[in-house]
Amino acid sequence: NAGVTQTPKFQVLKTGQSMTLQCAQDMNHNSMYWYRQDPGMGLRLIYYSASEGTTDKGEVPNGYNVSRLNKREFSLRLESAAPSQTSVYFCASRGSLAFETQYFGPGTRLLVL
Amino acid sequence: QKEVEQNSGPLSVPEGAIASLNCTYSDRVSQSFFWYRQYSGKSPELIMSIYSNGDKEDGRFTAQLNKASQYVSLLIRDSQPSDSATYLCAVKNQGGKLIFGQGTELSVKP
């Protein structure tokens, strides 16, 4: 049971380049989330998917798009990277029970030059 | 006012002491509260959850919830250097989303 996996672990981009961050979970969870974490800012929700086929904006969605490919996979795309998107990105998933919490992947460290 | 607030620290305690971490939240109807531990360069991991007023103990950790005061805390007894990490408070809001505080950095000195 791998839990939540993310690729890549680390990426350097130039301003204007695009990339997709991949996330997969093997816990049969319905809900999946993308967060970014910046120093002093805590975790901020970018997008989430409550179930396969649905996605919704979180607190900081600008500059990002997401795809819920199937129940296991939830990807985050940066179409035109900006230095302000330099951050650590975490994917998380959660089961359906009301009191369940989220389980996080190992994170992707992104540097945009 | 932020939805979930924590002192950013750092909080420094000697080994063997009690570390007390505090969190306040603004959404009065919140029902679920969580404490995550995050080591430097790692992802957050759940250490405690609490849903009703009072104390909940798990080993050296005790979570305390006071919904009237909109306050949740985490006590770590017999603190160890391995407890040195950032502790994130998270509150599930009315919309079902998990809102995180900015985290409190804890340093346990040998």
Side-chain angles (χ1 to χ4, degrees):
Chain A
N1 221 358
V4 181
T5 57
Q6 292 182 237
T7 55
K9 286 187 169 56
F10 181 72
Q11 184 73 46
V12 179
L13 290 178
K14 294 181 180 177
T15 297
Q17 288 185 317
S18 62
M19 79 162 295
T20 300
L21 283 63
Q22 305 286 353
C23 174
Q25 53 91 8
D26 61 3
M27 296 177 281
N28 202 35
H29 286 168
N30 285 325
S31 301
M32 297 186 73
Y33 307 82
W34 276 106
Y35 292 90
R36 60 178 290 174
Q37 187 174 38
D38 303 292
M41 301 291 290
L43 285 156
R44 293 183 292 169
L45 183 64
I46 305 171
Y47 270 95
Y48 69 100
S49 171
S51 61
E52 186 179 352
T54 68
T55 60
D56 285 289
K57 295 178 180 178
E59 182 185 355
V60 288
N62 291 344
Y64 306 95
N65 284 301
V66 290
S67 295
R68 183 73 182 266
L69 304 168
N70 47 54
K71 192 171 186 179
R72 287 189 65 248
E73 299 172 289
F74 188 37
S75 62
L76 178 72
R77 183 160 178 84
L78 286 71
E79 291 292 351
S80 179
S84 61
Q85 294 178 304
T86 293
S87 189
V88 180
Y89 291 86
F90 289 103
C91 178
S93 71
R94 186 177 76 88
S96 303
L97 299 178
F99 291 139
E100 284 198 71
T101 188
Q102 294 176 14
Y103 297 90
F104 286 83
T108 294
R109 281 151 183 79
L110 177 65
L111 175 61
V112 183
L113 301 175
Chain B
Q1 182 192 4
K2 290 183 181 176
E3 287 191 63
V4 180
E5 293 205 60
Q6 298 178 251
N7 291 327
S8 58
L11 173 66
S12 183
V13 300
E15 184 174 356
I18 295 175
S20 177
L21 304 159
N22 304 315
C23 174
T24 57
Y25 61 94
S26 60
D27 186 352
R28 287 192 167 274
V29 300
S30 296
Q31 295 294 319
S32 306
F33 307 87
F34 307 91
W35 282 100
Y36 285 80
R37 178 176 61 200
Q38 186 175 24
Y39 291 115
S40 182
K42 301 295 185 181
S43 58
E45 56 175 329
L46 180 70
I47 54 172
M48 289 289 287
S49 58
I50 187 166
Y51 310 109
S52 52
N53 278 330
D55 295 0
K56 179 182 177 182
E57 188 174 316
D58 184 359
R60 295 186 296 112
F61 298 97
T62 298
Q64 299 175 317
L65 175 61
N66 183 326
K67 291 185 180 180
S69 301
Q70 294 174 241
Y71 178 91
V72 58
S73 65
L74 180 70
L75 301 178
I76 306 175
R77 289 183 300 281
D78 187 23
S79 295
Q80 301 297 309
S82 59
D83 295 325
S84 296
T86 295
Y87 289 81
L88 300 168
C89 173
V91 177
K92 190 176 289 186
N93 70 4
Q94 193 173 8
K97 296 191 190 68
L98 209 54
I99 308 298
F100 287 85
Q102 70 269 42
T104 298
E105 183 185 349
L106 173 66
S107 177
V108 181
K109 304 294 187 186

